[in-house]
Amino acid sequence: MSEPRLIEVRRNVLKQNDVIARALRDQFHAAGVFVVSLVSSPGSGKTTFLEKTLTQLQPRYRVAALVGDLATENDAVRLARSKAPVKQITTGTLCHLEAAMVQNALQDWDLHQLDFLFIENVGNLVCPSSYDLGENLRLVLMSVTEGEDKPQKYPTIFNSADVAVITKNELSGAVEFDWDAARKSIESVRPGMRIFRLSAKTGEGMSEYLDFLSRQLAEQRAVVHS
Amino acid sequence: MHELSIAMGIVEAAMDEARQRNVQVSAVHLRLGALSGVVKDALLFSYEVACQDTPLEGSRLLIEEIPVMVFCPQCKEKRVLESVQLFSCPECASPTGEVLQGKELEVYALEVEE
Ligand SMILES: [Zn+2]
């Protein structure tokens, strides 16, 4: 029997996803649409948060959303109340979205007709971190009811995200949420991360976050046209 | 858990490389970054499942864990983090988010028999 031989192949396992994600990013850029993805654990209030985001952006912007739902969920129906175009991506038992699913879902949408596209990932703080969806900005949501140490428990997803949104701030008094501890926890896994603290229910803090999105869109378009 | 789909991706990549070279794979060497989002033990388990009924059945998955390396703006040096829960320089404690290494999920080499 011959000796085993070692051959170098150096092949990125997620290459296929990364290639599609890059193509999507180019496509988004060319169409002038700013794409925001949302990751969170179940119970962070992301559907309410996204519904308010869509509703409040609509007077000024053309918005739409893709929603990744497990077979047992139906967040898309709730989001349709915002009157924005919403499409569901049913992942079955899969715990995350992949770039190919986003690409398929967008096939019959004209991205030039949009200013913002939101992609709500499946509620999970582990699996989505490995998959680039071509988004311009990744938001990670945590609610005050989930505890201040969430970032320490899920460092990879916080590190892969651009912005942290702390939701359900209306409950922070009731659960004695320690804002400094939360900020410290985020800082330790993602130094310099932009943090928004808000309540989708009362509207507190929403305008600061929506203004931030508006500026991001304007900046992206300035780059395109320069 | 997404380790099964990752494992299937590994098996697919290895099979593809093996086919091109007309060789039989006895082991797959994988570089796994601490920030890859993949759990080693779950991946090892899923690998066996993913190999079933493929030419790779019975092959081993050898995982090299890659720590996170950052650039410290204070020391102006590359530094290896001790934990993914603390993104600061182990020497001077400056916070740093500039990741140079640690996201790898790469089939690095194959052990093959002709
Ligand atoms: Zn240093």
Side-chain angles (χ1 to χ4, degrees):
Chain A
M1 204 181 114
S2 62
E3 280 288 291
R5 186 160 64 90
L6 197 65
I7 51 174
E8 195 177 298
V9 292
R10 307 202 68 152
R11 197 161 148 156
N12 176 2
V13 178
L14 293 174
K15 187 175 172 197
Q16 210 182 347
N17 187 77
D18 291 348
V19 167
I20 298 171
R22 208 170 307 140
L24 282 173
R25 191 166 282 118
D26 289 346
Q27 197 186 338
F28 296 152
H29 210 89
V33 57
F34 192 80
V35 181
V36 181
S37 78
L38 276 66
V39 291
S40 72
S41 47
S44 66
K46 84 175 135 50
T47 310
T48 306
F49 169 71
L50 183 52
E51 188 186 343
K52 291 288 162 65
T53 300
L54 294 172
T55 306
Q56 293 179 26
L57 283 174
Q58 273 192 105
R60 285 180 294 160
Y61 297 105
R62 301 163 299 174
V63 298
L66 297 178
V67 185
D69 277 333
L70 293 169
T72 52
E73 300 171 325
N74 204 338
D75 289 350
V77 168
R78 275 180 62 194
L79 288 169
R81 293 192 306 215
S82 69
K83 304 278 196 299
V86 173
K87 191 184 271 189
Q88 185 182 31
I89 303 175
T90 307
T91 62
T93 56
L94 202 64
C95 49
H96 61 270
L97 290 177
E98 296 186 10
M101 300 175 189
V102 172
Q103 193 175 45
N104 281 339
L106 290 176
Q107 260 170 10
D108 53 358
W109 274 8
D110 181 4
L111 294 173
H112 289 87
Q113 302 304 315
L114 292 178
D115 298 309
F116 285 105
L117 172 66
F118 292 85
I119 304 174
E120 183 189 307
N121 216 316
V122 180
N124 182 320
L125 281 180
V126 180
C127 308
S129 62
S130 306
Y131 298 89
D132 184 1
L133 302 179
E135 68 268 64
N136 299 104
L137 199 75
R138 184 180 286 187
L139 307 187
V140 57
L141 271 62
M142 61 181 264
S143 72
V144 297
T145 56
E146 292 175 271
E148 300 85 0
D149 59 347
K150 205 88 188 180
Q152 292 289 305
K153 286 183 183 157
Y154 299 96
T156 303
I157 196 95
F158 276 82
N159 193 271
S160 81
D162 304 292
V163 171
V165 178
I166 299 179
T167 57
K168 300 191 186 175
N169 194 36
E170 77 279 5
L171 300 175
S172 62
V175 299
E176 298 182 356
F177 186 73
D178 186 339
W179 171 242
D180 282 337
R183 198 200 308 267
K184 227 182 199 166
S185 182
I186 292 169
E187 271 290 318
S188 71
V189 298
R190 182 83 156 103
M193 191 178 210
R194 183 78 192 234
I195 305 169
F196 291 98
R197 180 183 183 178
L198 50 82
S199 166
K201 196 175 175 186
T202 67
E204 179 201 354
M206 283 295 285
S207 63
E208 199 188 342
Y209 145 76
L210 294 171
D211 288 349
F212 169 77
L213 289 185
S214 299
R215 282 198 305 278
Q216 294 286 313
L217 175 69
E219 272 170 35
Q220 188 208 40
R221 290 191 170 163
V223 173
V224 172
H225 295 128
S226 67
Chain B
M1 194 181 94
H2 65 313
E3 276 75 9
L4 185 58
S5 56
I6 299 283
M8 283 159 64
I10 294 170
V11 171
E12 222 165 272
M15 279 200 310
D16 186 40
E17 296 288 336
R19 242 192 326 264
Q20 288 173 31
R21 295 172 169 86
N22 199 22
V23 289
Q24 174 72 34
V25 177
S26 54
V28 175
H29 291 241
L30 185 83
R31 288 162 57 89
L32 184 66
L35 279 179
S36 65
V38 176
V39 179
K40 184 184 171 182
D41 288 340
L43 185 61
L44 285 169
F45 174 77
S46 300
Y47 181 76
E48 257 180 63
V49 177
C51 282
Q52 275 167 22
D53 302 320
T54 76
L56 267 78
E57 188 158 355
S59 67
R60 290 167 302 146
L61 180 65
L62 303 170
I63 297 178
E64 182 193 353
E65 288 176 277
I66 310 291
V68 178
M69 190 191 277
V70 293
F71 183 76
C72 173
Q74 198 62 38
C75 305
K76 306 225 183 307
E77 290 280 355
K78 293 175 184 174
R79 301 285 188 207
V80 172
L81 297 186
E82 279 150 28
S83 156
V84 292
Q85 290 169 322
L86 189 59
F87 276 74
S88 59
C89 175
E91 298 294 324
C92 73
S94 300
T96 168
E98 204 186 327
V99 176
L100 303 174
Q101 168 198 291
K103 297 186 175 177
E104 293 76 5
L105 187 55
E106 182 188 47
V107 175
Y108 186 76
L110 302 175
E111 268 175 45
V112 301
E113 283 157 27
E114 246 80 2

